[in-house]
Amino acid sequence: MSQYINPSDLTTILPAIVLTVWACALLVADLFIPHERKGWTAVLAALGLVVSLDITLIQAGGTSTGFKGMVTLDGFSTFLNALLLVSGLFGVALAYGYVRRMGLERGEYYTLLLFSVVGMMLMVQASDLIVVFIALELLSIPLYVLAALNVRQIESEEAGLKYFLLGSFSTGFLVYGIALIFGATGSTSYSGIVTAASAGTSSLLLTIGAALLLVGFGFKVAAVPFHMWTPDVYQGAPTSVTAFMSSGAKIAGFAALLRVFALAFPTLTADLTPILAALAALTMIGGNLIAVSQTNIKRLLAYSSIAHAGYILMAFVPYGNPQVMPVSVAAGLFYLVAYAVTNFGAWGVVIALEKQGGKGLEISDYAGLFWKNRPLALAMTVFMLSLIGFPPTIGMVGKFYLFRAVIDGGFVWLAIVGVVTSLISAYYYLRVVVNMFMQEGEPQTGSEFWVNFTWGLTALMTIIISFVPQPLFAWASSAVLRLF
Amino acid sequence: METHGFAFLAPWLVFAPVVGLLINIIFGGWFMKQPWGERAIGAIAATASGAAFVVSALLAYTVFAGHGELARWTLGQWIYIGDLKLDWTFRLDSLSTTMMLVVSGVGTLIHIYAIGYMHEDVRFKNDIPRYQRFFVFLNLFIAAMMILVSGDSYMMLFVGWEGVGLCSFLLIGFWYDMDTLGRSSWANSNAAKKAFIANRVGDFGFLIAGFLMFWRLGSFQFDQVFAAAPTLAASDHTTIILITLFMLIGVAGKSAQIPLYVWLPDAMAGPTPVSALIHAATMVTAGVYLVTRSAPLYTLVPEAQYIVAMTGAVTALFAATIAVGQYDIKKVLAYSTISQLGFMVAAVGMGAYVAGMFHLITHAFFKALLFLSAGSIILGLERGHHHLAHGHGHGDHHEEVFDPGDMRNMGGLRKTMPVTFWLYMIGTLALAGIVPFAGFWSKDEILLDANLHYTGVYWILTIAAFLTAFYMGRQIWMVFFGEARHEAAAHAEESPAVMTVPLMVLAVLSVLGGALNLPFEGFHNLTHWLGHTLGEVEVMPLNWVVAGASTALALTAIFLSWWIYGRNPLKAGQPDPLKKPLGLAFTGMENKWFVDEGYWFVIVDRYVDISRFLADKVDWEFWHDWFHEKVIAGTYNWLSNIALNEVADQKGIDAFANFLGKATQWLSGTTRKFQNGFVRSYALSVFLGVVIILGYLLLK
């Protein structure tokens, strides 16, 4: 037995293992929780996330590999796993009252969410393409189910099915890419690939495999032109699911993308960098342009999430330049945090206004919100400003770091695209603000403690971190440095 | 580190008032709905300020126990960009802890006083909910002021500097929708804006000084700047002069010196506790503190020192002359404050830093006392006026505009407000510089120094001191003696204990404050204490000639004021008895030497003219009417006539335009077709993406 698994293998992915066991136990425990007390399941799920987060933070600073180099524990994984677990907590907080209000309260919700988080965490820690593939499936399948959770609503079912079909389609490309890479290098581990590639076997096969991998990840992070599922799925899925999915899946996708490209494909820079740059530019332009004409807040935020995938992709463009790469990836990680914080807040506000049967989701439903519920409207304003990248918000700091890194990497034109599209984005984000402050209306807002807590806390973070970004950026930088 | 005793408490200088204001922001609305709400809000704010005082005292003790050793406490990193490394560090030395004690001590007393004052003020102004806001701002001010005095670098000081400026703006404009008489107007707002803009000019100077400092000295941190300065002064004297003089512009803005003093009289639009706390005792002394803190820079450049001293001296005299001609009780005190700030600036300009700080401290006591007493008088008159209005009943509801701050409406208040009268007397004697009140000792020390080193400054300040005693005497006779010149004054009522007790504390300080630094052997306490920070300062023995002369002049001035105003008390409607003998000069004093009008004429009106010119002439007539309409549109029309009708093929252009429109429609139609909800189209998009990427890789 010990020649296959030894204790250090297990400690390398201990947070994920704990969470897996916890999720299984939760599934059983849920059977004994009476229907009218399903809130307990949420509390237990949150507890599991906290325990896992605790272990993650205790392990901070350590580095190890496990399972014959298939998974890695390092500063990078600590940083992103912590972010993912906090996202999971926000996901539970947003769901707690929402699922009851919408009549979706079922124990599986939280179990699925935990499994998905496990998948995301493994994706972050993977250092072998096979693990990437398994992790990707583990994170995706619960999300497909969650998206379709509101079975009585046809849109929700449609969202789940669409997400599933298109997800499978794009995963096909990913697997095919893995196969080609294996064919070219005879290995699926990052170290094996890079050894083979630098030994001179860098072939077209490898490049094409890498490009197909990019397609698979591009689908997960909703990059143009692999983004078309996003608005439909985000709109149809229960909002609490959307909130979690839009942050968590994106973080995991970018993490895997980064690790693969930085560790396995540094030799392919010349071929892949133009593609990355083009994807980033297309995504920024496409996401922001289409968002302009949206009238539904969920679709608006969906396109906004596409656009932000473009900004984060920018951080990866100079990945082959060893001088710029650490700073630019640190900027990318910082932006992931900025996006996650702001995004959860914005979705929290959406949840606070949503009514049964998909009502209360038009932007016109936000008219006059400021005069009805000032804290809520002010928080939403903060989130919109942060998404535009307007000071003093974390979004502005994030964009600043990003643009600087990209310019340092020599992609001035890309930074210009970023700035111009940010300018365009101000148009549709500010429309929400204008509605809240300057239009007449009678919006009705719910008041659920954990929802209020989420948007309140994220609004504060959005502003406070913008004044003291240095510790977070320093942490992100050190996380990147330990990657190598 | 054990000698640093309580240094770890330093952040609570700032956090204590911040906690207070947060509580009042979050729960204040709910408090205001309770019967005990106002008292709770006031008590919380006062406690927060009191806590800052306790912390200040502990910190001062720490410095004292460490024999004046400089202590620092770093809270965290602040700005780290390139070579610029700034922490949020609290600097604890004898100078900063002295300022902390003054700010939080006087601040706490004023908080307590304001509990009573604002209770009535919001009722006279008919807006009770605003009570909460007042104490939030007041606590915010204490926090900002603490940042200012405790910062360890010019940038941290600047954060506090801007913070107090903001609070000053907010509090001057506290009754932003009315004028000082409570009528609906934007007068108070305009006063707030004036203060803000004048300070902005000053801050510009401060910033330039800061930039120069960083450029040439490479740091903002006090010790590093002072360490680098002598070397630079040896090679590049001009830069140090520029730094110190630009800093003087900042000082002139914040401490209301010529030429930027104009905002301070208008700032009296704020509630009286604000005038006392911000515009007399603490914020306006920030400039004096800045120069004292920068002593190592100023000492290097005697030329700049001389300019600072002269600025202060001239301001002292100039403002004193205006104070003689004012009728508003708070305006007199405001010009008096400018004048006394002039004394302080002159002192620190001459290098007499201890004397300047000494006067700063005693002035904080007696000027706060005077302002708060003036507030008590104003409210007393309001009460009397209110009483009358109610006595008249409904039928006689006359809308007479009554100014409770106008000294011409007062008279005889000695009898109706006896407590306030005695308190005001003490403040007056201290300000006039009568032995043994606090003001005598501190002012005398400044005069003494001037007499030794700068004869010109000495004479100017002596005349100013004479005028000080005179206008204060005038005020006493007009306000408290003679007969009431208005019904409201006849029915004025004394203020409650919550207001008078803090005044009594300040009165005791105004009497005994001189003991801090008596000019006798063995009593130079403040000199030695501040010497830890400022280096060993010359100890001044008492000069009987200077002291005697200034006392004699002060007594003469008071006698003269009795001769003019006390002997034959002013009657209602009678013009000021000085008007006739002084003629035009008095008109000048009455109208503040027309400085405001001058500023309007020279700056504001010209600014508006330029704006008008840019808007009407340049933008509209030139740019729009001529360039756009004539040149661009005209040329375009001319060209299009030729191009469309005569030269080019009309159909060709039309076809192209139509093509553009069609193309846009087609593009939007196509994208809409893609986003059609069908999984197959979405998959197609993914597939096309793959094809394009692979195509690029294969074909490049």
Side-chain angles (χ1 to χ4, degrees):
Chain A
M1 194 56 190
S2 65
Q3 71 186 95
Y4 302 110
I5 296 181
N6 57 49
S8 77
D9 290 341
L10 297 180
T11 53
T12 304
I13 53 166
L14 190 59
I17 292 178
V18 168
L19 202 57
T20 313
V21 174
W22 195 289
C24 294
L26 186 64
L27 202 54
V28 179
D30 181 58
L31 292 174
F32 299 98
I33 295 176
H35 189 71
E36 63 278 9
R37 303 235 170 100
K38 285 298 179 200
W40 292 10
T41 318
V43 174
L44 287 173
L47 207 59
L49 290 165
V50 170
V51 170
S52 182
L53 180 61
D54 220 32
I55 300 171
T56 306
L57 294 178
I58 288 169
Q59 287 183 330
T63 47
S64 65
T65 57
F67 297 101
K68 302 194 190 305
M70 292 181 93
V71 287
T72 309
L73 167 73
D74 52 16
F76 180 75
S77 75
T78 306
F79 183 91
L80 284 170
N81 277 352
L83 181 59
L84 285 169
L85 287 163
V86 171
S87 298
L89 281 170
F90 278 135
V92 173
L94 286 181
Y96 182 80
Y98 178 82
V99 289
R100 183 177 313 155
R101 176 149 52 99
M102 296 292 157
L104 305 173
E105 196 167 38
R106 262 172 288 162
E108 304 90 274
Y109 187 101
Y110 301 105
T111 317
L112 287 168
L113 191 142
L114 292 195
F115 278 128
S116 186
V117 174
V118 173
M120 293 168 186
M121 290 167 70
L122 286 178
M123 193 125 156
V124 170
Q125 295 194 272
S127 48
D128 189 293
L129 291 176
I130 297 299
V131 181
V132 169
F133 174 58
I134 297 170
L136 186 71
E137 291 301 288
L138 182 52
L139 92 83
S140 301
I141 293 171
L143 287 184
Y144 302 151
V145 182
L146 282 172
L149 201 71
N150 196 356
V151 284
R152 272 164 301 179
Q153 196 128 27
I154 188 88
E155 290 89 349
S156 176
E157 268 190 281
E158 185 191 328
L161 193 63
K162 264 185 192 164
Y163 194 21
F164 171 62
L165 287 174
L166 289 165
S168 313
F169 184 64
S170 62
T171 310
F173 287 106
L174 183 95
V175 181
Y176 191 43
I178 295 174
L180 290 182
I181 292 167
F182 184 72
T185 63
S187 173
T188 55
S189 83
Y190 299 172
S191 51
I193 294 169
V194 81
T195 315
S198 45
T201 51
S202 173
S203 64
L204 187 60
L205 217 52
L206 178 61
T207 315
I208 291 179
L212 290 179
L213 224 52
L214 187 58
V215 173
F217 292 128
F219 176 83
K220 272 294 151 218
V221 304
V224 175
F226 317 114
H227 69 286
M228 306 208 62
W229 58 278
T230 318
D232 292 10
V233 173
Y234 280 17
Q235 189 185 13
T239 311
S240 58
V241 175
T242 311
F244 171 66
M245 175 159 74
S246 61
S247 297
K250 204 158 280 195
I251 296 166
F254 276 116
L257 185 66
L258 173 71
R259 219 189 258 276
V260 174
F261 274 64
L263 294 186
F265 305 140
T267 51
L268 305 181
T269 321
D271 291 330
L272 293 180
T273 300
I275 299 179
L276 278 170
L279 275 184
L282 261 182
T283 309
M284 288 188 280
I285 295 169
N288 281 315
L289 274 186
I290 309 176
V292 168
S293 60
Q294 301 305 317
T295 57
N296 180 292
I297 188 83
K298 284 176 89 173
R299 285 187 88 82
L300 179 90
L301 286 177
Y303 282 108
S304 140
S305 119
I306 295 170
H308 280 87
Y311 293 117
I312 302 169
L313 261 180
M314 278 207 306
F316 295 78
V317 174
Y319 87 94
N321 181 341
Q323 269 101 45
V324 183
M325 189 267 180
V327 183
S328 92
V329 173
L333 293 188
F334 185 93
Y335 203 87
L336 274 176
V337 178
Y339 173 72
V341 168
T342 313
N343 193 45
F344 267 113
W347 283 108
V349 176
V350 173
I351 284 178
L353 266 92
E354 184 174 350
K355 308 278 165 328
Q356 194 83 34
K359 298 278 190 316
L361 292 172
E362 293 302 311
I363 293 172
S364 53
D365 292 326
Y366 285 68
L369 183 61
F370 179 71
W371 309 106
K372 268 293 201 206
N373 188 338
R374 290 183 182 203
L376 190 64
L378 287 176
M380 191 61 164
T381 309
V382 168
F383 300 136
M384 293 296 117
L385 292 180
S386 180
L387 288 171
I388 299 172
F390 199 82
T393 60
I394 186 171
M396 174 263 161
V397 182
K399 282 214 172 95
F400 169 75
Y401 284 140
L402 264 185
F403 291 161
R404 192 185 59 180
V406 173
I407 290 170
D408 286 350
F411 292 86
V412 178
W413 66 271
L414 200 57
I416 292 174
V417 172
V419 172
V420 170
T421 51
S422 296
L423 214 61
I424 295 173
S425 77
Y427 173 77
Y428 59 86
Y429 289 128
L430 287 183
R431 213 175 51 212
V432 179
V433 178
V434 166
N435 258 283
M436 292 193 298
F437 285 80
M438 298 181 185
Q439 305 286 325
E440 306 261 329
E442 287 293 316
Q444 286 174 354
T445 56
S447 181
E448 284 153 357
F449 175 78
W450 288 108
V451 174
N452 294 349
F453 173 81
T454 305
W455 58 253
L457 180 69
T458 46
L460 283 180
M461 286 167 77
T462 305
I463 290 179
I464 290 170
I465 299 180
S466 80
F467 285 106
V468 277
Q470 196 57 35
L472 183 61
F473 191 73
W475 189 19
S477 303
S478 71
V480 176
L481 286 180
R482 286 196 210 131
L483 194 57
F484 303 100
Chain B
M1 286 301 279
E2 56 278 331
T3 54
H4 291 171
F6 294 105
F8 67 92
L9 283 175
W12 288 97
L13 288 172
V14 177
F15 291 162
V18 167
V19 168
L21 80 91
L22 284 179
I23 295 176
N24 277 340
I25 284 180
I26 297 169
F27 302 109
W30 181 74
F31 285 152
M32 287 302 286
K33 295 198 187 85
Q34 315 303 319
W36 40 265
E38 288 185 18
R39 265 166 291 157
I41 288 174
I44 289 166
T47 310
S49 174
F53 178 69
V54 172
V55 173
S56 305
L58 291 172
L59 294 175
Y61 169 75
T62 305
V63 175
F64 179 73
H67 304 290
E69 189 76 8
L70 166 70
R72 288 202 179 83
W73 186 261
T74 302
L75 191 62
Q77 294 183 355
W78 182 33
I79 301 175
Y80 275 65
I81 305 170
D83 294 337
L84 176 62
K85 289 196 170 32
L86 282 177
D87 293 323
W88 185 357
T89 299
F90 291 85
R91 183 188 181 90
L92 308 172
D93 58 18
S94 56
L95 177 60
S96 68
T97 50
T98 305
M99 286 299 289
M100 289 169 196
L101 285 171
V102 173
V103 171
S104 57
V106 177
T108 306
L109 291 173
I110 293 174
H111 270 75
I112 297 169
Y113 171 94
I115 297 174
Y117 183 91
M118 291 312 291
H119 174 80
E120 294 187 47
D121 200 25
V122 292
R123 281 168 178 74
F124 289 132
K125 302 263 168 45
N126 260 328
D127 190 353
I128 293 172
R130 236 182 261 194
Y131 188 87
Q132 172 198 0
R133 193 188 298 168
F134 182 81
F135 283 94
V136 171
F137 288 166
L138 222 50
N139 267 349
L140 182 63
F141 170 77
I142 297 285
M145 195 68 202
M146 284 303 182
I147 294 176
L148 195 162
V149 299
S150 67
D152 190 33
S153 66
Y154 281 100
M155 276 295 118
M156 208 66 225
L157 191 151
F158 188 65
V159 170
W161 183 275
E162 290 296 282
V164 292
L166 169 70
C167 294
S168 164
F169 168 76
L170 291 172
L171 284 164
I172 295 169
F174 185 73
W175 297 110
Y176 59 86
D177 44 3
M178 43 185 93
D179 63 10
T180 42
L181 304 181
R183 291 172 298 194
S184 182
S185 123
W186 296 114
N188 288 356
S189 283
N190 288 337
K193 277 190 278 184
K194 186 172 176 184
F196 205 72
I197 293 167
N199 267 295
R200 212 105 313 271
V201 178
D203 295 345
F204 161 80
F206 189 140
L207 278 175
I208 301 278
F211 296 152
L212 278 172
M213 199 182 285
F214 188 65
W215 180 38
R216 299 309 306 269
L217 297 167
S219 177
F220 289 119
Q221 206 272 333
F222 290 134
D223 294 334
Q224 290 171 7
V225 168
F226 301 154
T231 330
L232 181 66
S235 64
D236 185 359
H237 202 59
T238 323
T239 304
I240 304 280
I241 291 186
L242 283 177
I243 291 174
T244 47
L245 289 186
F246 274 116
M247 208 182 272
L248 177 62
I249 299 180
V251 172
K254 193 63 80 191
S255 289
Q257 299 295 295
I258 288 175
L260 295 175
Y261 71 90
V262 287
W263 63 273
L264 188 61
D266 290 38
M268 297 302 124
T272 304
V274 173
S275 309
L277 177 61
I278 301 185
H279 304 122
T282 56
M283 182 190 85
V284 288
T285 62
V288 180
Y289 171 73
L290 177 64
V291 178
T292 309
R293 181 51 87 198
S294 312
L297 291 182
Y298 281 95
T299 315
L300 293 172
V301 276
E303 306 91 314
Q305 278 190 306
Y306 183 69
I307 295 177
V308 175
M310 277 317 275
T311 307
V314 172
T315 307
L317 178 60
F318 187 73
T321 62
I322 300 179
V324 174
Q326 296 303 304
Y327 299 106
D328 187 290
I329 184 166
K330 282 174 74 182
K331 284 271 161 71
V332 174
L333 293 177
Y335 281 104
S336 159
T337 303
I338 298 174
S339 169
Q340 296 301 309
L341 287 167
F343 273 86
M344 296 174 216
V345 170
V348 294
M350 294 184 295
Y353 299 107
V354 174
M357 287 300 293
F358 186 25
H359 198 54
L360 186 157
I361 296 167
T362 58
H363 177 259
F365 297 152
F366 61 69
K367 191 49 77 59
L369 171 63
L370 284 170
F371 262 116
L372 295 182
S373 305
S376 170
I377 294 168
I378 292 170
L379 278 189
L381 257 70
E382 285 267 23
R383 289 185 206 109
H385 184 62
H386 205 63
H387 184 77
L388 286 177
H390 273 271
H392 284 307
H394 285 290
D396 192 20
H397 195 67
H398 59 114
E399 277 296 325
E400 176 219 7
V401 177
F402 168 66
D403 184 352
D406 193 331
M407 295 195 292
R408 286 169 297 194
N409 288 336
M410 299 178 185
L413 288 178
R414 182 173 40 114
K415 280 161 264 166
T416 40
M417 302 183 76
V419 181
T420 307
F421 165 66
W422 284 111
L423 294 167
Y424 209 90
M425 275 306 285
I426 293 171
T428 302
L429 293 175
L431 173 55
I434 303 295
V435 172
F437 294 91
F440 167 77
W441 304 105
S442 56
K443 192 183 289 180
D444 196 57
E445 209 173 309
I446 296 176
L447 292 174
L448 195 58
D449 219 297
N451 184 39
L452 277 180
H453 302 302
Y454 295 82
T455 320
V457 172
Y458 171 73
W459 285 110
I460 299 175
L461 290 182
T462 304
I463 301 171
F466 174 81
L467 287 174
T468 307
F470 180 77
Y471 64 68
M472 286 316 291
R474 170 177 180 261
Q475 200 173 35
I476 291 284
W477 305 121
M478 278 178 87
V479 172
F480 292 104
F481 289 87
E483 293 303 318
R485 287 180 293 275
H486 191 281
E487 281 178 290
H491 293 82
E493 291 165 32
E494 186 54 85
S495 296
V498 69
M499 288 167 66
T500 49
V501 170
L503 292 181
M504 290 170 194
V505 179
L506 284 169
V508 171
L509 291 170
S510 302
V511 177
L512 302 179
L516 283 174
N517 208 26
L518 292 180
F520 305 113
E521 197 58 38
F523 284 98
H524 298 280
N525 293 321
L526 194 68
T527 310
H528 293 306
W529 168 244
L530 290 177
H532 291 309
T533 305
L534 298 168
E536 268 320 307
V537 189
E538 194 181 353
V539 175
M540 293 274 183
L542 185 63
N543 181 330
W544 292 102
V545 178
V546 172
S550 77
T551 310
L553 274 174
L555 290 173
T556 315
I558 292 177
F559 175 76
L560 194 64
S561 69
W562 173 79
W563 183 264
I564 298 172
Y565 294 97
R567 213 163 38 115
N568 300 310
L570 211 61
K571 299 278 177 305
Q574 183 195 340
D576 196 289
L578 271 183
K579 212 178 176 81
K580 231 165 121 188
L582 291 184
L584 268 183
F586 192 79
T587 313
M589 294 174 180
E590 230 177 348
N591 291 295
K592 310 166 263 178
W593 298 115
F594 301 98
V595 172
D596 274 318
E597 287 77 3
Y599 276 178
W600 270 94
F601 181 74
V602 177
I603 298 172
V604 182
D605 284 346
R606 297 295 83 80
Y607 183 81
V608 172
D609 286 347
I610 293 172
S611 310
R612 287 246 168 77
F613 174 75
L614 287 175
D616 296 347
K617 298 277 180 231
V618 176
D619 187 63
W620 195 250
E621 285 180 19
F622 170 73
W623 203 244
H624 174 267
D625 286 355
W626 186 76
F627 190 72
H628 277 168
E629 293 295 313
K630 292 246 166 64
V631 178
I632 304 272
T635 315
Y636 180 80
N637 284 337
W638 177 75
L639 273 178
S640 61
N641 263 336
I642 295 174
L644 286 181
N645 295 337
E646 292 162 29
V647 182
D649 182 1
Q650 202 162 345
K651 277 181 186 164
I653 303 280
D654 269 3
F656 181 69
N658 285 341
F659 166 75
L660 275 186
K662 285 247 172 66
T664 317
Q665 277 173 12
W666 176 83
L667 198 67
S668 101
T670 318
T671 32
R672 201 178 302 139
K673 246 178 249 161
F674 264 113
Q675 195 69 47
N676 56 7
F678 287 121
V679 172
R680 55 172 183 269
S681 344
Y682 295 2
L684 184 63
S685 159
V686 175
F687 185 69
L688 282 178
V690 174
V691 169
I692 292 169
I693 291 176
L694 294 190
Y696 164 79
L697 286 176
L698 292 171
L699 297 177
K700 84 186 177 68

